Structures are given as structure tokens and as C-alpha cells.
Amino acid sequence: MTKNIQAVIKQFIIEGTFEEAIIFGDGLINTTYKVKTKEADKPNYLLQVVNHHIFKNVPELTKNIKRVTDHLRAKLEQIPGSDIKRQVLTPIDTVDGKGYVKDAEGNYWRVFLFIENARSYNKLSNAKQAYVGGKAFGQFQSRLADLPGEPLYPVLPDFHNTEMRILNFIERVKQNPVGRLKEVQAEVDFLMARSEEYKKVVQMGREGILPERIVHQDTKFNNVLLDENDEILCVIDLDTVMPGFVCYDIGDAIRNGANTGLEDDPNLENVSMDIDLFEGFIKGFLEETKSVLTPAEVDTLAFGAKLLTYEQAVRFLDDYIDGDNYYKVNAPDHNLVRTRAQIKLLQSMEEQFEQMEAIVKQYAS
Ligand code: ADP
Ligand code: GN1
Ligand code: MG
């Protein structure tokens, strides 16, 4: 593998001499390496194999990321004291100018500057981190609001189209391709009982009640890098940045970050929504966005947390029933464990929904 990696790296315009590549991070989709260079005064790099079974058009994806990072960099250049190489991802170009390398096996590779001394947490430990996370994604969205040119390429069309996800799920249940349905009937019933409720946001979009904006769409807390003092450094993992609705970002950030347990916690007693972390996310996010959000958008923010949790449960269960073709799994029942944890989290949000709405109202006014 190292030989292959060295051959790939040579095709990027990097400084310094390749020393080693170490597998890095906890992403469920791409494969990531930290590439160290020998010289202390040369940068290190982050090398990724893009999952092209999911991201089918890597050339367009590469262009999206370049446009987004160029725009964010231009914004930072206007802010005195910005640390440009650490506050925005820097994609490294290839010798042929394409920005990615396709190897003989059909894998797509890309490289970014490695952001040094950054913290990336899978789990939050306090409400300040939630506030910083909410602020980071709010700021990301507001800085991209004036991205010039044509709309970003829809790399994953209908990514958060819950209505479509439900229809696909119903089809998957019908097909039962690997015979796992009998073990999960209770989970299927739980999700199907709520299917009408969670089509609402897509329907509001279709009716023109909600505007589309450029949003991140994969706002796990480990997709924001923090600095030594737990302040915002950089929003990363830009593959899914596309037009979508505001509630997707804050909703997914809360789904992932305000959970008292893990996304794949086998012990459901650990799993619930921490209302203080919820408040932190909402406070930070609204500080950055409330001046532009419409009342209809504000109305969807608390709902968005439930929506994205519901949708994630559908996605994990769909993958389980399908025989684990989408998410990386560490055990045959991993996707089922994840589904159950998302369902437990959703129940906890349902119980606290009135309070969640009151918090949104408080910070939106
Ligand atoms: P995935 O799509 O698989 O989640 P990410 O782009 O989020 O991949 O990268 C995986 C992890 O690698 C991140 O959670 C973060 O910890 C780390 N990471 C990503 N990009 C950088 C970077 N440029 N510098 C330092 N660390 C990074
Ligand atoms: C994936 O790539 P990563 O690990 O940040 C997924 C998200 C899910 C998340 C669940 C492109 O995110 O949508 O919410 O796993 N990304 C894609 O952990 O499907
Ligand atoms: Mg990630």
C-alpha cells in the first residue's frame, strides 16, 4: 500500500519528501491517511481515497470543494489575523491540474494540507463545545451565502430528501434482500408509524415555504476542527456541501453532538438528548444566522433535530436490511446497533420537544 501511496502522492504538487502514511480519523465513508514529510519545515498532508461508490462524480465534487474553499479563503483574507492555512481546507492540486488522481484500480485520491494542532472530537464534553459547534456551522453557512456563479453541483442528489429515503426504505423492506427483516420488524414499525410526519420539510420546500441555501449536510462534531482552546478552527468534510435546507445542518449537529451516548452505543441507557448541549448548539448557530433566517426556517430548527435523527435511523436500518453496503461496519449487527441508538435518541427528543421549541424561540428573538 505504501508503494501505491507514494506513487499517488508524486502526482500532487506537494512540498517536502514523503516519509510515511498513517491511517487517520473515524469517518464512515472515505478512507483517510495522514502523510508525514521528512523535513520539519515542510507541511504534512491529509490524503483521502474518495468513496466513489457513493460520490460518483469525483471531477464535479472536486470543483465544488475548490469553489467553496476559494470563497471561504477570500472571506478570511478580509479578516485581520486569520490563520488561512488552518481556518479553511486547502486542496492540493495535481501536476495535471485535475485536483484528483484516479489509480489503476479505479480509486480516486485527493490531498489537503494537514491542519496541525487541531482537535476533532467524536463526543462533546460540555455546552461550550456545543456552542462552538453550532457557531462553526452557522458561520460556514453565512460565509457561503454569497458564493458567486451557478449552483453547486448536486453531488448526492436527494441526500436529505427524507420523503425519498422513506420510499426507498419501503422498497428495501419489501425486497428483504438478505433475509434480515424478521429481526427488525419492531424497528421498521416504529419508523413507519412516523413516516408522514417526517416528510414535512421536503414538502415545505416544494411548496416554496422554505428557501434552499448552501448548507454542509454532514455536520457531525468531528467535522469541525477546534484549536488548542476549543475555539472554531475549520469546518471540514466538504463532500456534501450542496443546496439544501437550514434545518439539516443544525439538526444533524444536534443529532450527533447532543447525544449523551454514542452514535452506535450498544447500551441504550446511555443514549438521550442532553438539553444543555441542545441549547449550546442553538445559541451558537442562531448567533450566526438569525439575521437572515425566515420565520418559517426558524420554525424548523428544533424539528430538524428530530428529522435528522429519524432519517439517520432509516438510513442505518436500510443499510442493515440491505446487508451493509453503505456504511463501514465493525460487526455484522453494527448497523442495527446504530439504528436502535438513533431510535432511542429520537424518543428522548420527542419527550423534550416542547422545551426544545422554547429554547429556539428564546435565541431567535
Ligand atoms: P469522512 O468523510 O470519512 O468523515 P473527513 O474528511 O471527515 O472524512 O476526515 C476524517 C477525519 O480526519 C476528520 O474527522 C478529522 O479528524 C481528520 N481531518 C480531515 N481533514 C483534515 C485536515 N485537513 N487536517 C487535519 N485533520 C483532518
Ligand atoms: C457519514 O462521512 P462521515 O462519517 O462524516 C455520512 C453521514 C452520516 C454519518 C453517520 C456522505 O458521515 O451522512 O450522518 O456517516 N456521510 C455520507 O455517522 O453519507
Ligand atoms: Mg467526517
Side-chain angles (χ1 to χ4, degrees):
M1 194 52 159
T2 304
K3 230 172 134 197
N4 188 14
I5 287 181
Q6 262 182 287
V8 166
I9 280 285
K10 272 206 187 114
Q11 300 177 63
F12 287 86
I13 307 170
I14 69 157
E15 294 176 50
T17 321
F18 177 91
E19 182 174 54
E20 58 171 347
I22 317 158
I23 199 96
F24 198 77
D26 294 300
L28 302 191
I29 304 294
N30 298 318
T31 305
T32 302
Y33 301 87
K34 177 176 183 178
V35 172
K36 288 194 183 160
T37 52
K38 286 189 180 139
E39 300 82 357
D41 60 342
K42 299 294 181 208
N44 296 316
Y45 295 92
L46 190 106
L47 170 70
Q48 276 182 329
V49 189
V50 181
N51 186 329
H52 66 276
H53 302 290
I54 294 176
F55 300 107
K56 296 197 166 71
N57 194 334
V58 177
E60 289 296 338
L61 170 63
T62 308
K63 277 190 221 156
N64 272 4
I65 292 181
K66 176 143 182 20
R67 282 180 66 195
V68 165
T69 52
D70 281 352
H71 191 72
L72 294 172
R73 193 169 310 104
K75 287 269 154 93
L76 286 170
E77 277 159 3
Q78 306 302 312
I79 305 172
S82 296
D83 185 353
I84 309 256
K85 290 190 172 157
R86 289 173 78 223
Q87 289 180 282
V88 59
L89 275 179
T90 309
I92 304 297
D93 206 354
T94 46
V95 180
D96 66 9
K98 285 189 183 147
Y100 62 88
V101 164
K102 188 177 178 187
D103 69 16
E105 280 121 59
N107 296 311
Y108 289 84
W109 301 76
R110 67 176 174 211
V111 173
F112 297 101
L113 265 190
F114 190 85
I115 298 174
E116 301 288 351
N117 303 320
R119 297 176 176 181
S120 152
Y121 299 96
N122 288 332
K123 196 154 172 22
L124 282 75
S125 41
N126 55 61
K128 187 205 159 188
Q129 289 177 343
Y131 167 77
V132 169
K135 212 171 162 62
F137 289 118
Q139 196 178 73
F140 179 83
Q141 184 184 302
S142 61
R143 286 185 181 165
L144 286 172
D146 58 349
L147 181 81
E150 63 206 56
L152 290 171
Y153 181 82
V155 198
L156 297 176
D158 295 315
F159 187 53
H160 285 308
N161 184 335
T162 319
E163 192 176 48
M164 188 83 85
R165 296 236 179 234
I166 291 166
L167 291 175
N168 294 344
F169 179 67
I170 292 172
E171 197 46 43
R172 190 84 72 203
V173 167
K174 256 194 218 147
Q175 302 283 329
N176 187 19
V178 295
R180 283 176 163 177
L181 184 63
K182 56 185 178 305
E183 308 159 47
V184 297
Q185 199 55 56
E187 287 77 11
V188 172
D189 292 346
F190 177 94
L191 294 171
M192 287 315 300
R194 287 155 176 80
S195 62
E196 279 315 307
E197 180 184 358
Y198 290 109
K199 292 176 184 166
K200 188 175 97 179
V201 165
V202 173
Q203 287 164 352
M204 287 167 80
R206 211 167 25 232
E207 288 160 17
I209 300 169
L210 294 175
E212 275 201 320
R213 300 180 187 275
I214 298 175
V215 288
H216 185 287
Q217 318 221 23
D218 186 3
T219 51
K220 278 161 90 161
F221 196 58
N222 68 12
N223 285 333
V224 39
L225 301 182
L226 306 188
D227 71 11
E228 301 80 345
N229 304 314
D230 271 2
E231 298 295 345
I232 306 174
L233 195 52
C234 183
V235 171
I236 60 165
D237 205 346
L238 307 178
D239 294 321
T240 51
V241 179
M242 286 176 290
F245 303 118
V246 164
C247 67
Y248 295 162
D249 279 5
I250 187 63
D252 201 47
I254 292 163
R255 173 196 74 77
N256 172 266
N259 186 349
T260 52
L262 298 172
E263 184 173 275
D264 58 353
D265 215 310
N267 182 356
L268 295 181
E269 307 230 312
N270 293 337
V271 177
S272 64
M273 195 203 65
D274 181 324
I275 196 77
D276 295 331
L277 295 182
F278 174 87
E279 182 170 352
F281 275 111
I282 291 291
K283 179 170 186 271
F285 189 76
L286 279 172
E287 262 179 31
E288 294 293 327
T289 58
K290 76 174 173 193
S291 61
V292 298
L293 297 188
T294 66
E297 287 180 296
V298 171
D299 271 351
T300 61
L301 300 185
F303 180 76
K306 287 201 298 179
L307 172 69
L308 272 284
T309 307
Y310 173 84
E311 186 192 290
Q312 192 66 64
V314 170
R315 292 175 64 193
F316 282 147
L317 189 54
D318 182 78
D319 199 32
Y320 183 71
I321 295 173
D322 192 36
D324 308 321
N325 292 309
Y326 190 90
Y327 295 104
K328 290 183 197 161
V329 288
N330 64 20
D333 67 346
H334 199 177
N335 272 317
L336 180 55
V337 169
R338 287 168 170 151
T339 304
R340 290 184 172 145
Q342 294 300 298
I343 286 179
K344 177 73 198 301
L345 181 63
L346 178 58
Q347 287 171 320
S348 170
M349 289 176 179
E350 287 177 346
E351 284 159 18
Q352 302 181 78
F353 193 56
E354 263 178 44
Q355 214 182 334
M356 289 159 68
E357 292 218 290
I359 289 170
V360 169
K361 234 184 220 145
Q362 179 193 336
Y363 288 101
S365 60

